[in-house]
């Protein structure tokens, strides 16, 4: 069996898609940390930011998708937080590179 997010990409596991292009999709997080919590993922599987960054242009595609989505959406006019958890101590639970995009409330800093 493929990874959870690869199954979402294939449509085998349902998710609420909010954005898609040739290289990237985004969907609502099942357990939102704020009123708006979306995960941006490359369609191609990479375990984390380190392996994804070795593929030329891949992270650029992910961040361009985030730019398009947030620029087009009034929800993000006051800002948002983008988070990439990597490995155990950062509590990465799904090993398919994903960028959390979180908005809709005041966000504390530093994060927990
Ligand atoms: P991580 O902890 O790896 O940075 O983030 C994984 C995220 O995936 C979590 O915020 C979690 O709520 C979300 N998630 C886990 N399983 C599913 C699922 O089946 N569907 C969706 N939409 N989100 C999921
Ligand atoms: Zn995957």
């Amino acid at each position: 069996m493929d990874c959870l997010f690869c199954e979402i990409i294939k449509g085998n596991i349902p998710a609420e898609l909010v954005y898609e292009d040739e290289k990237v999709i985004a969907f609502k997080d099942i357990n939102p940390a704020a009123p708006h919590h979306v995960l941006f993922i490359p369609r191609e599987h990479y375990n984390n930011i380190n392996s994804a960054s070795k593929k030329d242009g891949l992270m650029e595609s992910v961040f361009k998708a985030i730019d398009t989505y947030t620029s087009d959406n009034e929800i993000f006019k006051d800002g948002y937080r983008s988070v990439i958890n990597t490995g155990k101590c950062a509590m990465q639970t799904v090993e398919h590179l994903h960028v959390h995009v979180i908005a809709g409330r005041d966000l504390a800093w530093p994060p927990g």
Side-chain angles (χ1 to χ4, degrees):
M1 144 128 179
D2 250 327
C3 90
L4 175 63
F5 287 175
C6 284
E7 293 299 320
I8 287 176
I9 290 163
K10 288 186 200 158
N12 294 337
I13 292 175
E16 214 175 318
L17 294 191
V18 296
Y19 173 91
E20 57 183 320
D21 65 32
E22 194 193 327
K23 293 193 171 149
V24 178
I25 72 164
F27 51 90
K28 292 189 179 175
D29 195 294
I30 205 168
N31 184 23
H36 304 284
H37 186 167
V38 167
L39 303 171
F40 281 78
I41 66 172
R43 290 182 187 273
E44 230 177 306
H45 179 99
Y46 290 91
N47 280 11
N48 57 38
I49 191 171
N50 295 85
S51 52
S53 296
K54 290 178 177 65
K55 171 83 175 181
D56 283 346
L58 186 91
M59 292 309 298
E60 186 183 1
S61 301
V62 174
F63 283 109
K64 279 190 170 166
I66 292 171
D67 172 32
T68 301
Y69 180 69
T70 57
S71 298
D72 284 355
N73 200 327
E74 188 73 3
I75 290 159
F76 302 103
K77 73 173 174 19
D78 289 331
Y80 62 92
R81 179 165 295 157
S82 41
V83 174
I84 302 173
N85 294 319
T86 307
K88 200 169 73 169
C89 83
M91 298 179 74
Q92 180 181 5
T93 57
V94 179
E95 291 204 342
H96 182 130
L97 180 275
H98 50 282
V99 182
H100 298 256
V101 170
I102 298 166
R105 65 171 170 82
D106 289 334
L107 298 162
W109 191 263

